Amino acid sequence: MGDLFTIIFQIFWMVLIISSFAPLFKSMSLHSSRDGLIRAIEKKRGSRVITLIHREESINFFGLPIRRYIDIEDSEELIRAIKMTPNDMPIDLIIHTPGGLVLAAEQIANALKKHKGKVTVFVPHYAMSGGTLIALAADEIVMDENAVLGPIDPQLGQYPAASILSVVEKKDINEIDDQTLILADVAEKAMKQMKEYATNLLKEKYEENAEELADKLVSGYWTHDYPITVEKARELGLKVSTDMPNEIYLLMSLYKQSGKRRPSVNYVPVDYRVFKDNQK
């Protein structure tokens, strides 16, 4: 009886150890698959492929989820990748992000703008806020037909800078407290800085309407989460292509949202476009 208990106890611990390391093995396998597909895209396009993809992923042995956004670590790594790329080699940057730290986004945009080779930014789903700012530095923006960009108006904490200024302008200055006035001063500076930066970023590619385009994206004309579709981007004057390589979609499928809950979307994972063509 004692031997049976010992065997059960050992099996229990083996299962526990294996289940604890399973997320790590899964992560290693995913990284290997991603690297392999990135190398295949690079070989096909003769470019350096860099990804800036922010999704909730499981980490460490317990599979705890974390949320990501553009931060200084991203700018450090991305700039390092650009520096490791020959000046005449094209760069393909795949962006999927809700945005993040303005400083980090500007550093990435500056590095891309200085690169002598062609820079193409691919947006398979969305590149909001700081992601849009980075995309504006590219020589070419390629979006999925249903992908979106977003406004780049500065945010001060939870409030848009443009809204702070709008409220202050509508009230008697004697009725406004000092803290709000200081906030309005910072908001005004943030707006001016972002307009100037965006104008300089767009000047080479959009000589005639760079300032107008920058003002539209920065002035708070829309809410910060307003979706700028392909059609809207073209209406604004942005040069956008929808010629998205299929390999980009395959790569994005390796960055699926983590979690053990039942998926909200379900379908037979077959490309019926290819299936239909083969039936002819």
Side-chain angles (χ1 to χ4, degrees), residues 200-246:
N200 289 332
L201 200 61
L202 294 163
K203 199 177 290 181
E204 285 185 25
K205 298 183 292 292
Y206 304 93
E207 288 183 46
E208 297 179 0
N209 63 335
E211 192 170 344
E212 181 186 347
L213 181 54
D215 183 70
K216 198 78 170 179
L217 293 170
V218 175
S219 65
Y221 185 80
W222 304 291
T223 59
H224 194 60
D225 61 351
Y226 177 78
I228 299 176
T229 61
V230 172
E231 294 78 16
K232 189 65 179 179
R234 287 172 175 166
E235 182 185 318
L236 290 171
L238 286 173
K239 299 168 185 174
V240 175
S241 166
T242 55
D243 190 19
M244 182 75 68
N246 191 54

Side-chain angles (χ1 to χ4, degrees), residues 100-107 109-110 128-134 136 150-156 161-162 165 186-203 210-220 224:
L101 193 62
V102 173
L103 174 59
E106 287 185 355
Q107 286 183 306
N110 289 339
M128 305 298 285
S129 191
T132 298
L133 190 64
I134 294 170
L136 295 177
I152 55 174
D153 55 309
Q155 307 292 296
L156 299 184
L165 290 176
V186 175
E188 185 178 9
K189 289 173 182 175
M191 295 283 289
K192 286 180 179 178
Q193 289 167 190
M194 183 55 76
K195 282 182 184 179
E196 181 182 350
Y197 181 80
T199 300
N200 289 332
L201 200 61
L202 294 163
K203 199 177 290 181
E211 192 170 344
E212 181 186 347
L213 181 54
D215 183 70
K216 198 78 170 179
L217 293 170
V218 175
S219 65
H224 194 60

Side-chain angles (χ1 to χ4, degrees), residues 245-274:
N246 191 54
E247 290 84 358
I248 304 296
Y249 297 115
L250 293 176
L251 183 61
M252 285 302 299
S253 71
L254 298 176
Y255 287 87
K256 285 191 174 180
Q257 204 82 347
S258 67
K260 297 180 180 179
R261 59 186 175 82
R262 179 184 61 80
S264 302
V265 178
N266 198 13
Y267 60 94
V268 178
V270 174
D271 191 335
Y272 287 139
R273 296 169 302 178
V274 177

Side-chain angles (χ1 to χ4, degrees), residues 113-130:
K113 187 180 179 184
K114 290 175 184 176
H115 185 69
K116 292 181 172 62
K118 182 182 178 181
V119 175
T120 305
V121 162
F122 293 95
V123 184
H125 185 57
Y126 77 150
M128 305 298 285
S129 191

Side-chain angles (χ1 to χ4, degrees), residues 160-181:
S163 297
I164 295 171
L165 290 176
S166 177
V167 169
V168 170
E169 288 170 0
K170 292 174 182 177
K171 296 185 72 174
D172 186 337
I173 194 168
N174 297 313
E175 298 177 358
I176 305 172
D177 62 89
D178 291 345
Q179 186 175 355
T180 303
L181 288 173

